[in-house]
Amino acid sequence: MQRRHLLKSIIGAAALPWAARATPAELALGAAFKKRSERCRPGSAGWPTPEAWEGLNRRTQGRLTIPKSPFAVCATAPDSQASREALAGLKNPFYLGDNVALTQTSGWAGAWSSQPSAYAVAAQSAADVVAAVNFARKHSLRLVVKGGGHSYQGNSCSADSLLLWTRRMNKVELHEGFVADGCQGREPPQPAVSLGAGAMWIDAYDAVTTGAGRYVQGGGCTSVGVAGLITGGGFGSFSKRFGTAAAGLLEAEIVTADGKRRIVNACRHPDLFWALKGGGGSTFGVITRLTLRTRELPETFGAVFGAIRASSDAAYRQLIARALIFYESALFNPQWGEQMVFRTDNTLRISMLFSGMTRDQALAVWAPFLDWVRADAAYTFTSELAAISGPARHFWDAKILKSRLAGSIVSDERPGAPDHHFLWAGDQGQVGWTIRAYKSLWLPAELLTQGRSAALADAVFACTRRWEMAFHFNKGLAGAPAAEIEAARSTSMNPAVLNAFALAIIGADAAPSFAGLPDAQPDLEAARDAATQVEKAMDELQRLAPFGGSYVSEADFFERNWQRSFWGENYAELERIKKKYDPDGLFFAHHGVGSESWSADGFTRIA
Ligand SMILES: Cc1cc2nc3c(=O)[nH]c(=O)nc-3n(C[C@H](O)[C@H](O)[C@H](O)COP(=O)(O)OP(=O)(O)OC[C@H]3O[C@@H](n4cnc5c(N)ncnc54)[C@H](O)[C@@H]3O)c2cc1C
């Protein structure tokens, strides 16, 4: 309707019967215009007929479905068994991920809400993906791709779309001496792992680390999908030692907008290969398989955690300054990753992970800082600082964790669920959450130097007067081995990551808001208030790092200058590659490369 009004106002009422009087040539021209400018929705002219859908269903071996949210029944029949079952799964990321109609984030207040597609292909092979891509292109459909479903930006769901769901393409295959196709003689064989695009990182860790005693760089959250993480760049707890996940990519199989299945690597389609390594999801095609290098596993992985509270604002400001100096002098190296959280109640929460040290060695590193804290009555440990360390091989070993550290994980307890599927307990709050506000900023390493660190401490303190803020040290590569920084330089991520000591993250969230749930309508006023505070808090840091850049996978939906923020000087080349492989914009993502040409919902071409 809206489009009709728009046309009416542009060409005038008299021209409206034009289509009825048009010649066949004009009709063809009109159809072509429509194809380019507006994607089809159910009920609109051009929407595939039932026979056409049935054809797609046949070509994909019966894998076409109509997604229905299991939470819908919570509104219509709240006392039913189906409603109880759905609610029982609400905080289980594997339950959410196994449902074609759901996403891991239920929405962003004032931005988007999770909505099932009109149809979905639950792909099990690259041939299914080819069929769905060709169908979407032929019928001008809005095509959505979903793997793990964790997108903050709502990029793996859209009403009225055709969804390509890769969840069942989750095969994991280990290689002793992998050479990318076409790279024989140019690259030495190396240990690697191939992952179906629908695999989650826990599937990779279970096979590579628990099973084979090696390491693969992936994400921190176990339920995140492998393809979504790699296309954003991707950090795990040990990225300060092993670099970004994208930098470890050796080869990908991808179906591009023309329906062609391509093998891309350093030797075949190197431009597309580079773009996939951080250029954003659902932009250049549908990845069906990824092959990543694996590494030697360190002997140990461990953690140091605790919380220190300051008795006054002045003491807190001093604690922040001291913690930053301590970080720079003792932890700013490949062995340490994860977070320091600066809370609004004058508490510093420490949640750091390390590799290659025993518990005692790790505590010895922390001793000077702890001595300083203990010597001052202004500080109390609200949670005593503790350390643990163990064989790295057991870090993702569900059986060992269940028996020795049961409180640290939440297992998927559904009957028939794979034994190795668990979530870190600390990530539980993000399952199904609604985002109210979220911002990230890379902070250059020079802010840790003597001349700048007092200003940084002031900014962190000022930030906490507004909102809680966390430094994710593992999400900035300064301090990483030179080889890992070089490897990340050959990805399409914002080069700001290379020189950042941390990614600062500030976020606000609320309960899940899937349609059908009691909290289905997010509290917009509370969300607006939170967003204002989060923005002001981040402004304090932004002043010190005006060109810091933001991590595309953990970023503000409303990011200004997003092209520069997410990709820096790499954006122009990414745009060129987008036009080469997807000239008609079949693939769309909010604030994705080339999305300037489309309306916010990805249905209408505007340029
Ligand atoms: C709880 C939680 C924890 C997180 N933890 C981390 C972390 O530790 N480290 C980190 O770096 N990031 C983290 N993230 C961010 C995460 O990396 C991104 O959200 C990532 O894009 C998720 O991938 P996915 O496959 O799970 O999500 P999806 O929503 O399925 O996909 C994300 C994007 O990639 C596209 N996509 C998915 N599959 C394909 C494919 N096969 N081919 C082409 N495009 C595809 C989608 O269309 C979408 O645009 C976290 C996010 C959440 C919600």
Side-chain angles (χ1 to χ4, degrees):
M1 280 306 284
Q2 270 176 348
R3 183 170 171 272
R4 239 189 249 157
H5 284 311
L6 191 70
L7 274 176
K8 199 171 169 181
S9 64
I10 293 171
I11 59 181
L16 269 181
W18 166 82
R21 295 199 307 266
T23 63
E26 284 169 331
L27 275 175
L29 192 68
F33 170 73
K34 182 174 191 312
K35 191 174 171 198
R36 279 198 311 273
S37 67
E38 192 86 19
R39 304 198 212 261
C40 295
R41 291 180 190 269
S44 73
W47 183 252
T49 60
E51 293 73 28
W53 285 114
E54 188 40 43
L56 176 61
N57 191 33
R58 269 197 311 276
R59 277 193 297 284
T60 56
Q61 325 295 321
R63 290 167 189 148
L64 186 74
T65 63
I66 297 182
K68 295 263 180 278
S69 168
F71 297 119
V73 72
C74 302
T76 53
D79 296 325
S80 63
Q81 177 65 11
S83 170
R84 276 192 293 277
E85 271 172 26
L87 290 174
L90 184 56
K91 293 309 278 178
N92 178 348
F94 303 101
Y95 170 84
L96 299 182
D98 283 342
N99 195 301
V100 64
L102 300 177
T103 49
Q104 297 287 339
T105 297
S106 54
W108 187 310
W112 64 274
S113 60
S114 183
Q115 295 190 48
S117 296
Y119 283 90
V121 171
Q124 291 192 29
S125 68
D128 293 344
V129 174
V130 169
V133 164
N134 285 337
F135 189 84
R137 193 185 59 249
K138 178 174 170 200
H139 294 280
S140 289
L141 303 182
R142 169 90 159 80
L143 182 64
V144 171
V145 189
K146 183 170 73 161
H150 286 67
S151 171
Y152 287 24
Q153 315 285 337
N155 279 331
S156 44
C157 67
S158 166
D160 298 344
S161 66
L162 169 62
L163 172 69
L164 234 172
W165 191 42
T166 62
R167 183 77 164 185
R168 293 179 190 157
M169 299 174 71
N170 58 1
K171 192 171 158 202
V172 179
E173 192 186 350
L174 297 167
H175 311 276
E176 280 186 12
F178 180 84
V179 182
D181 191 45
C183 290
Q184 287 80 1
R186 287 176 60 181
E187 286 183 354
Q190 56 184 316
V193 60
S194 291
L195 304 164
M200 290 172 277
W201 286 107
I202 192 58
D203 300 320
Y205 300 147
D206 183 58
V208 174
T209 303
T210 313
R214 290 191 60 80
Y215 182 82
V216 60
Q217 186 54 62
C221 179
T222 56
S223 57
V224 164
V226 297
L229 184 111
I230 295 277
T231 51
F235 303 98
S237 303
F238 307 107
S239 278
K240 205 63 131 188
R241 176 166 182 164
F242 294 104
T244 62
L249 186 68
L250 299 176
E251 182 169 285
E253 180 185 73
I254 181 169
V255 177
T256 41
D258 54 7
K260 287 208 171 94
R261 191 170 153 176
R262 299 170 197 262
I263 298 294
V264 303
N265 54 47
C267 308
R268 296 207 189 287
H269 308 289
D271 54 353
L272 183 53
F273 182 56
W274 175 81
L276 292 183
K277 295 190 289 180
S282 131
T283 299
F284 303 99
V286 185
I287 295 168
T288 52
R289 190 183 63 234
L290 297 157
T291 301
L292 296 159
R293 63 190 288 218
T294 64
R295 324 286 194 88
E296 210 172 297
L297 193 63
E299 244 175 61
T300 58
F301 284 145
V304 170
F305 43 90
I308 305 161
R309 184 162 189 173
S311 60
S312 68
D313 287 358
Y316 189 38
R317 158 69 184 75
Q318 214 185 351
L319 178 66
I320 293 169
R322 196 72 190 207
L324 293 176
I325 291 168
F326 169 64
Y327 174 77
E328 195 278 332
S329 65
L331 309 179
F332 186 28
N333 61 53
Q335 281 182 303
W336 291 91
E338 285 295 346
Q339 303 169 39
M340 284 189 189
V341 182
F342 303 92
R343 292 175 38 166
T344 55
D345 64 353
N346 291 354
T347 300
L348 166 66
R349 191 162 59 74
I350 292 152
S351 181
M352 297 290 290
L353 263 63
F354 61 84
S355 61
M357 278 183 285
T358 62
R359 176 181 176 277
D360 287 349
Q361 286 168 330
L363 283 173
V365 172
W366 280 78
F369 179 66
L370 298 183
D371 288 348
W372 178 85
V373 173
R374 287 193 182 109
D376 194 330
Y379 305 115
T380 39
F381 284 89
T382 49
S383 164
E384 199 57 45
L385 201 95
I388 50 169
S389 174
R393 188 157 187 173
H394 296 326
F395 190 78
W396 288 286
D397 185 334
K399 214 188 265 177
I400 298 273
L401 292 169
K402 268 182 216 170
S403 66
R404 301 203 194 141
L405 283 170
S408 68
I409 63 167
V410 182
S411 299
D412 183 2
E413 300 291 1
R414 292 173 300 157
D419 286 341
H420 68 275
H421 278 183
F422 72 83
L423 180 77
W424 296 116
D427 289 332
Q428 176 85 76
Q430 298 166 68
V431 180
W433 68 350
T434 306
I435 300 176
R436 284 182 169 173
Y438 200 96
K439 279 185 168 292
S440 71
L441 177 71
W442 274 306
L443 294 172
E446 63 140 3
L447 292 175
L448 291 177
T449 55
Q450 223 175 10
R452 306 288 312 271
S453 78
L456 179 61
D458 285 340
V460 171
F461 177 74
C463 199
T464 62
R465 300 308 87 186
R466 302 279 183 183
W467 212 262
E468 174 177 306
M469 186 273 292
F471 280 166
H472 292 235
F473 298 111
N474 51 309
K475 295 177 181 170
L477 290 186
E484 305 311 334
I485 296 178
E486 271 323 292
R489 204 184 296 283
S490 67
T491 71
S492 45
M493 291 180 82
N494 188 336
V497 66
L498 306 175
N499 190 36
F501 76 89
L503 182 75
I505 292 183
I506 311 180
D509 58 90
S513 56
F514 293 107
L517 295 178
D519 287 322
Q521 292 304 323
D523 181 340
L524 289 181
E525 205 180 317
R528 255 192 307 273
D529 288 348
T532 304
Q533 293 304 325
V534 167
E535 171 124 24
K536 287 185 172 162
M538 192 54 104
D539 281 349
E540 301 290 347
L541 294 174
Q542 196 103 41
R543 268 193 273 281
L544 297 183
F547 305 110
S550 182
Y551 175 34
V552 60
S553 288
E554 296 180 319
D556 191 353
F557 184 90
F558 303 101
E559 184 78 16
R560 286 185 289 268
N561 297 324
W562 52 268
Q563 298 91 336
R564 194 185 67 190
S565 259
F566 298 157
W567 292 289
E569 66 230 38
N570 287 333
Y571 191 73
E573 180 61 6
L574 284 168
E575 247 189 327
R576 190 192 67 73
I577 296 167
K578 169 76 176 173
K579 282 188 187 133
K580 177 175 168 188
Y581 289 96
D582 185 16
D584 295 326
L586 179 66
F587 298 103
F588 168 86
H590 171 73
H591 286 178
V593 176
S595 61
E596 304 91 333
S597 303
W598 293 90
S599 58
D601 62 5
F603 273 86
T604 310
R605 183 183 274 283
I606 54 174

